[in-house]
């Protein structure tokens, strides 16, 4: 967190100034320690209700050279603005991205659009670990097709630094010369303040909360990337650092803090993203999660089209559905495809939330017209096949 | 129906030839009367199972001049191919469309794309009667913006004919000079054969069927635009002439006729279409239907964006949701908006099928990323408002 006043201007010409910082919580006395960054003054500020909304911090690699100049992350509006300024001014030709998740892939697109040469290093055997490996291969293929050099199964070992500036990324396999490095290694809940105040933490170090977003300490609430969620399908705590979830957290916490009554309805793990023209979406539980839970399940993967095959702009779409072997209830869905693919995931989010079976999904009366879908929507095709394996 | 052999070639270079026609059914003897159109020969052909799949025929106006040249419909592949050939060869400058439903509006787009001057006559006070009037106004506005001259509340009274060819469309209000006329007045089930064979008809003259697609006569089945469906929400018979429904009918009938067991799951009235860049979608019951059923309901209409407001290509979207006043169960949804709007209807088709309430829809974990949605999907915004009025 900032230790000096910070100022920056957003694209929308909004001046942002960080003037105060909370450096400690005293829940027993119901007060927080506030620092006035411009006046170098500190005091205790009392509260009736306290909301911890400290967000998350990006994971930084603990390898030699990690503090060198030229290594960037994008986790705040400000860090994005800074990076864009650097790209505009110094026009680097080469970028290495460390991490093949949402941020890594979205930044790969941004770099490609600027005509940069992009390499991506990922220690796992696949990009986008929130999808199953057989679906992630389509993403990898699309990245390669668009000019990204992928290095999977390669751990980051060090950064080569010259004159204080990163010159190369050293992986377990090779050395990649580069002008800049972008870190997309994920985030961890920013819960130092909570931990120091003995407010109990839970999943992955996020602040433990109930469905009202109340922590286990009277009068203290938490919301956003620093707080736990729970999974709608498993009921178990889960940490999801996404804007939609944070926003829903905040709404529930705010209503309860203001004397109302609201309950967080949980997350299904729905996420969508786009890399160039490739759309990626997922919801529910993936194979790895179902296996970890010891659930008995079946899955089917199909390839179809986003529109009627003869319609201009019709593109490929891959759909994977997973269902409970015993009940047939759909448990998860993954989609990778061209324009029009991703938001189809919302149908499955509704279906999974409602407990629909694969057979029931296959019988849904979905909209058809040539600009929008083949006669049988890809979801129907996948569900119909899946229903053959599940009751 | 054709009384002489017909031949034409589709765009995909498939030669189509109509060689035989069934002119009568004798269900008691289990046989049909077949005519060989090329040999002028007739005979009785026995059957074990008979499928009536005679489709629908377009409504033709019973007004003076209706048989003139230059008046077209598009209800078969062949009629579409013929009309396109005429447009290519004679390049008419002006078209009047009679009827403001799906066919009328889609043909308006086709004519506009050819640079033609388009007028549309509709006797109802709104276009697209399958949507509520407050949603249809957005469609009317978009049509007007794109150059279509709309004449609502105007009944067709006659065609002015010169030398056997249509020259003008006479409405209750005016005379519209034109080069061609396109009829989009809807269809009626083509059930002459069934009626003559005393096979019971039902809703709007469609062949009465049970959920197995069996007619009330042993060994005779019906599917497609000539057959009844039933509505998932009301359980009542309904006639829906749509490709998706026809295809599902055929699948169920075929499985049962082949000795399997299949049951039609009904229709929700989902339909999507596009006119230029405007997308239109609906599912469930609209205000008129709910009122006719005497249902107590509430509704909310919102305006939002298809993508994050700042994202390139973000467009307007209007969403209307209707729910049961007592249970809160969502009963209907209507969407009019720019690119990305229409297929959102599928989420509501799933939600309505599953019996989700407005509150439950407002809590769905839908996908968010700036290229696909504002942080709160328009469906969530509408459902949240609706939930305030319904339990």
């Amino acid at each position: 967190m900032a230790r000096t006043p910070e100022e920056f201007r957003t694209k929308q010409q909004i001046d942002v100034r960080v003037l105060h910082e909370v450096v400690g919580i005293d829940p027993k006395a119901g007060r927080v320690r506030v620092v006035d960054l411009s006046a170098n003054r500190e005091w205790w500020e009392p509260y009736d209700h306290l909301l911890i909304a400290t967000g998350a911090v990006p994971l930084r690699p603990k390898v030699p050279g990690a503090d060198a100049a030229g290594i960037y992350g994008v986790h705040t509006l400000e860090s994005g603005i800074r990076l864009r300024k650097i790209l505009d001014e110094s026009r680097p030709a080469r970028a290495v991205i460390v991490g093949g998740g949402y941020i890594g892939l979205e930044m790969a697109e941004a770099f490609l659009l600027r005509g940069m040469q992009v390499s991506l290093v990922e220690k796992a055997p696949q990009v986008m670990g929130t999808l199953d490996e057989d679906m992630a291969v389509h993403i990898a293929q699309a990245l390669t097709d668009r000019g990204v050099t992928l290095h999977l199964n390669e751990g980051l070992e060090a950064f080569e630094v010259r004159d204080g500036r990163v010159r190369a990324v050293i992986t377990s396999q090779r050395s990649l010369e580069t002008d800049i490095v972008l870190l997309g290694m994920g985030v961890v809940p920013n819960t130092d303040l909570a931990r120091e105040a003995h407010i109990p933490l839970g999943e992955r170090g996020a602040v433990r909360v109930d469905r009202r977003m109340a922590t286990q300490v009277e009068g203290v609430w938490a919301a956003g990337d620093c707080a736990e969620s729970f999974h709608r399908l498993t009921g178990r705590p889960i940490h999801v650092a996404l804007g939609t979830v944070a926003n829903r957290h905040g709404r529930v916490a705010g209503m309860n803090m203001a004397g109302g009554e609201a309950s967080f309805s949980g997350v299904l793990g729905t996420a969508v993203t786009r890399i160039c023209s490739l759309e990626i979406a997922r919801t529910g539980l993936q194979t790895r999660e179902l296996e970890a839970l010891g659930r008995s399940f079946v899955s089917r993967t199909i390839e179809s089209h986003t529109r009627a095959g003869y319609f201009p702009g019709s593109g490929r779409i891959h759909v994977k559905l997973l269902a409970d072997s015993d009940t047939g209830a759909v448990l998860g869905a993954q989609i990778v495809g061209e324009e029009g693919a991703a938001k189809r995931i919302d149908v499955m989010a509704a279906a999974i939330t409602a407990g629909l079976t694969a057979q029931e999904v296959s019988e849904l009366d979905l909209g058809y017209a040539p600009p929008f879908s083949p006669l049988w929507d890809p979801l129907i095709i996948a569900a119909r096949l899946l229903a053959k394996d599940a009751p």
Side-chain angles (χ1 to χ4, degrees), chain A:
Chain A
M1 252 198 228
R3 294 282 157 186
T4 53
E6 287 189 67
E7 295 183 34
F8 61 98
R9 172 166 278 198
T10 70
K11 199 182 180 183
Q12 288 80 18
Q13 305 298 311
I14 299 165
D15 288 311
V16 177
R17 239 184 130 191
V18 181
L19 295 174
H20 299 106
E21 188 179 355
V22 170
V23 295
I25 304 170
D26 177 2
K28 283 191 187 112
R31 56 185 195 171
V32 291
R33 187 76 179 164
V34 179
V35 178
D36 181 332
L37 297 167
S38 51
N40 206 21
R41 203 164 57 86
E42 287 191 34
W43 69 95
W44 285 105
E45 180 82 24
Y47 65 75
D48 296 321
H49 289 281
L50 176 70
L51 177 69
I52 302 178
T54 44
V57 286
L59 274 170
R60 302 280 305 195
K62 289 181 182 62
V63 299
D67 294 325
I71 302 175
Y72 304 97
V74 277
H75 81 292
T76 60
L77 183 59
E78 188 195 0
S79 59
I81 291 169
R82 270 195 208 136
L83 178 56
R84 189 180 54 194
K85 193 157 174 270
I86 287 156
L87 295 176
D88 285 342
E89 287 171 1
S90 68
R91 304 208 165 273
R94 297 165 302 181
V96 173
I97 297 170
V98 182
Y102 294 95
I103 294 295
L105 268 55
E106 288 172 3
M107 288 308 296
E109 171 179 359
F111 293 150
L112 286 174
L113 289 176
R114 286 170 176 266
M116 291 169 67
Q117 192 181 314
V118 183
S119 299
L120 192 147
V121 175
E122 166 61 55
K123 67 173 188 290
Q126 67 169 87
V127 294
M128 206 59 91
T130 54
L131 270 70
D132 288 352
E133 197 165 352
D134 60 339
M135 293 298 283
V137 293
H138 303 300
I139 306 169
Q141 185 61 52
L143 287 168
T144 306
D145 290 347
R146 283 159 178 79
V148 176
T149 308
L150 276 187
H151 299 290
L152 301 177
N153 285 310
E154 291 193 23
L156 170 71
E157 302 213 326
F159 296 105
E160 193 183 305
V161 182
R162 207 177 312 144
D163 303 329
R165 201 178 160 75
V166 68
R167 292 297 167 199
V169 174
I170 314 297
T171 77
S172 49
Q173 303 289 323
R174 73 199 77 226
S175 168
L176 296 161
E177 287 195 16
T178 192
D179 301 309
I180 65 164
V181 172
L182 189 285
L183 300 174
M185 303 172 69
V187 296
V188 285
N190 179 20
T191 47
D192 289 348
L193 271 180
R195 189 189 309 105
E196 285 160 14
H198 304 292
I199 294 162
L201 307 181
E203 195 65 17
R204 287 181 60 205
V207 180
R208 177 131 288 172
V209 288
D210 63 17
R211 298 190 180 194
R212 297 159 58 239
M213 304 311 295
T215 71
Q216 292 180 0
V217 173
E218 183 68 25
V220 183
W221 309 74
D225 289 359
C226 68
E228 263 186 358
S229 295
F230 73 94
H231 199 287
R232 279 185 104 128
L233 280 179
T234 65
R236 296 187 187 195
I238 184 175
H239 178 245
V240 178
L242 284 178
T244 36
V245 175
N247 201 307
R248 289 166 63 205
H249 278 183
R251 195 164 181 274
V252 171
M255 286 173 78
N256 287 323
M257 291 170 75
E261 265 186 50
S263 181
F264 181 60
S265 54
V267 298
L268 205 58
T270 311
V272 294
T273 189
R274 197 180 78 173
I275 296 123
C276 303
S277 66
L278 192 77
E279 301 186 358
I280 301 162
R282 58 97 67 212
T283 192
L285 299 165
Q286 69 185 126
T287 292
R288 185 184 306 135
E289 293 169 304
L290 288 166
E291 284 172 352
L293 291 163
R295 293 285 289 263
S296 166
F297 67 97
V298 287
S299 73
R300 282 280 193 153
T301 307
I302 62 111
E303 181 180 331
S304 180
H305 290 90
T306 53
R307 310 177 182 209
Y310 55 82
F311 200 86
S314 180
R316 277 201 297 181
I317 179 172
H318 302 269
V319 176
K320 182 171 191 171
L321 298 183
L322 306 98
D324 188 293
S325 315
D326 301 321
T327 65
V330 180
L331 298 173
Q334 299 169 36
I335 299 174
V336 178
E338 301 292 322
E339 193 200 327
K343 276 293 258 181
R344 282 180 156 95
I345 205 70
D346 289 349
V347 182
M348 298 313 303
I352 295 171
T353 299
L356 295 190
T357 64
Q359 178 67 30
E360 287 168 333
V361 171
S362 79
E363 292 172 350
L364 286 177
D365 190 3
L366 303 186
Y368 159 70
F372 303 116
S373 172
L375 184 78
W376 295 113
D377 194 277
L379 297 179
I380 301 283
I381 298 171
R384 190 178 286 164
L385 282 174
L386 187 60
K388 293 185 181 183
D389 303 330

